[in-house]
Amino acid sequence: MKSICGLVVLFFVMLPHAAAYDPLDPTGNITIKWDVVSWTADGYVASVTMSNFQMYRSIVSPGWTLGWQWAKKEVIWSMVGAQTTEQGDCSKFKGNVPHCCLRKPVVVDLLPGVPYNQQFSNCCKAGVVSAWGQDPSSSVSAFQVSVGVAGTSNKTVKLPMNFTLLGPGLGYTCGPAKVVPSTVYLTADHRRKTQALMTWNVTCTYSQFLAAKNPKCCVSFSSFYNQSITPCPKCACGCQNKNNCVVSDSKQAHKKGINTPRKDNVPLLQCTHHMCPIRVHWHVKLNYKDYWRVKIAVTNFNYRMNYTQWTLVAQHPNLNAITQVFSFDYKPLVPYEAISEFLRNHSSL
Ligand SMILES: *[C@@H]1O[C@H](CO)[C@@H](O)[C@H](O)[C@H]1NC(C)=O
Ligand SMILES: *[C@@H]1O[C@H](CO)[C@@H](O)[C@H](O)[C@H]1NC(C)=O
Ligand SMILES: *[C@@H]1O[C@H](CO)[C@@H](O)[C@H](O)[C@H]1NC(C)=O
Ligand SMILES: *[C@@H]1O[C@H](CO)[C@@H](O)[C@H](O)[C@H]1NC(C)=O
Ligand SMILES: *[C@@H]1O[C@H](CO)[C@@H](O)[C@H](O)[C@H]1NC(C)=O
Ligand SMILES: *[C@@H]1O[C@H](CO)[C@@H](O)[C@H](O)[C@H]1NC(C)=O
Ligand SMILES: *[C@@H]1O[C@H](CO)[C@@H](O)[C@H](O)[C@H]1NC(C)=O
């Protein structure tokens, strides 16, 4: 008897939150690749590519912020397709002044529509990068950087260290840069291969615990056979934002600029008893012997967030036998066998 009227939803995730090791996306990571494309008189030019190899976690507005620490006294002469947020103290340079002299530069993407000469392939998307599982073609962001006061050969160049990635807000941890086999490029006519002079990779992984100690969504439940709705638990996402929440339809809720996202991703929530940015409501519409049907409604209570390309990840024992999905694109993430067994024993109602 496989039909289940009760359900257990162990794991509901709305972008961009999940666990450090995510069983639904075990190899998920963001890889930042530096390809040295030429040596210069005092350094090198590198093209930097950020690939989001995650199944369902995209980098949403206001976009990524990438930082690192130079190993020596490197400076950034110029950048194409991105910029540092601060120039720092370049007072010791006469004549040409570098783009950035900070020991720890902080880089952000440019906005769409910048002049053509400031663009680079896959740049200028305001730091928004899709998840690979959602849209591989827009899962890459890239820029070019010209580094000075640096090594000028693969023996003398020192790799940048201590990479940090806000995607946006906390959550990502980046490993050390590692020299990897040089990237090979195929010319447009596919008749000749060229290669980077040197390549290094940095891999960043996401941890829900780093991102926030409270959940970001809650699940409420109702069904055709019962009038009462089981709401999200009180303070399901922690109530520490209770003091500066916004009463819906109040004057404040319609104030100009209230929808502007912040780089640190701090939400501005509508006042609710659960204080969650996202509520997922699960309504059982039908329950026959052979199948059941639910309607899922996702509600956003964060005024600063505008989810246009969202992904909802749900784990449920019966999803391995899903037959029809309306209004959603549906994609199974991993084979469900083990998880199904486990859940079935824990279902209630
Ligand atoms: C990053 O993700 C890619 C694509 O899934 C995978 O091939 C690669 O091994 C991952 N890297 C690490 C360090 O996990
Ligand atoms: C380096 O990163 C690129 C993605 O930009 C990936 O294709 C390649 O496999 C990575 N190399 C290693 C050795 O991880
Ligand atoms: C550096 O370049 C030399 C040839 O110029 C090559 O043999 C060596 O493998 C390169 N090393 C790295 C780390 O790329
Ligand atoms: C920066 O990286 C270096 C070498 O990878 C490491 O020794 C140092 O502890 C790091 N510093 C910080 C503040 O993380
Ligand atoms: C309807 O739901 C309420 C609250 O969850 C519960 O107390 C009640 O027993 C349910 N009634 C039926 C007929 O299932
Ligand atoms: C949400 O984002 C979409 C696409 O980026 C945009 O067209 C829309 O105006 C935005 N809405 C608000 C309220 O910011
Ligand atoms: C789940 O329950 C079935 C019987 O209902 C039992 O055979 C199985 O061992 C249980 N699995 C777990 C992981 O408890």
Side-chain angles (χ1 to χ4, degrees), residues 18 25 41 82 104 107 159 166 178 206 253 312 335:
D25 189 11
K104 295 182 179 178
V107 175
L159 309 189
L166 302 180
K178 284 202 186 102
Y206 190 83
L312 178 72

Side-chain angles (χ1 to χ4, degrees), residues 153-155 179-180 182 197-199:
S153 79
N154 74 4
K155 302 236 160 42
V179 174
V180 298
S182 294
L197 305 177
M198 185 178 183
T199 300

Side-chain angles (χ1 to χ4, degrees), residues 12-32:
F12 258 114
V13 182
M14 186 82 192
L15 284 178
H17 300 282
Y21 170 77
D22 183 346
L24 295 177
D25 189 11
T27 62
N29 66 74
I30 293 182
T31 298
I32 299 147

Side-chain angles (χ1 to χ4, degrees), residues 51-199:
S51 307
N52 184 0
F53 289 128
Q54 299 180 102
M55 283 308 287
Y56 57 82
R57 188 173 300 104
S58 17
I59 301 180
V60 297
S61 177
W64 54 261
T65 302
L66 181 66
W68 63 83
Q69 183 181 337
W70 290 119
K72 295 190 292 183
K73 295 196 178 342
E74 290 88 339
V75 296
I76 297 175
W77 279 118
S78 62
M79 287 188 111
V80 186
Q83 63 184 2
T84 63
T85 55
E86 277 182 60
Q87 182 181 33
D89 178 6
C90 294
S91 59
K92 65 178 193 221
F93 288 86
K94 301 191 180 76
N96 274 349
V97 178
H99 176 80
C100 176
C101 299
L102 291 175
R103 182 116 204 277
K104 295 182 179 178
V106 173
V107 175
V108 293
D109 196 6
L110 298 180
L111 302 178
V114 295
Y116 188 71
N117 64 356
Q118 291 173 37
Q119 290 183 22
F120 193 66
S121 58
N122 290 314
C123 86
C124 314
K125 299 183 282 191
V128 172
V129 187
S130 297
W132 183 81
Q134 196 169 31
D135 180 11
S137 69
S138 55
S139 67
V140 176
S141 192
F143 60 88
Q144 192 183 63
V145 60
S146 171
V147 183
V149 201
T152 54
S153 79
N154 74 4
K155 302 236 160 42
T156 54
V157 70
K158 289 275 184 294
L159 309 189
M161 313 179 298
N162 307 47
F163 277 83
T164 55
L165 176 65
L166 302 180
L170 296 176
Y172 289 96
T173 312
C174 300
K178 284 202 186 102
V179 174
V180 298
S182 294
T183 303
V184 173
Y185 306 97
L186 213 51
T187 57
D189 62 5
H190 289 228
R191 297 180 62 211
R192 178 178 145 79
K193 285 178 182 168
T194 58
Q195 69 181 71
L197 305 177
M198 185 178 183
T199 300

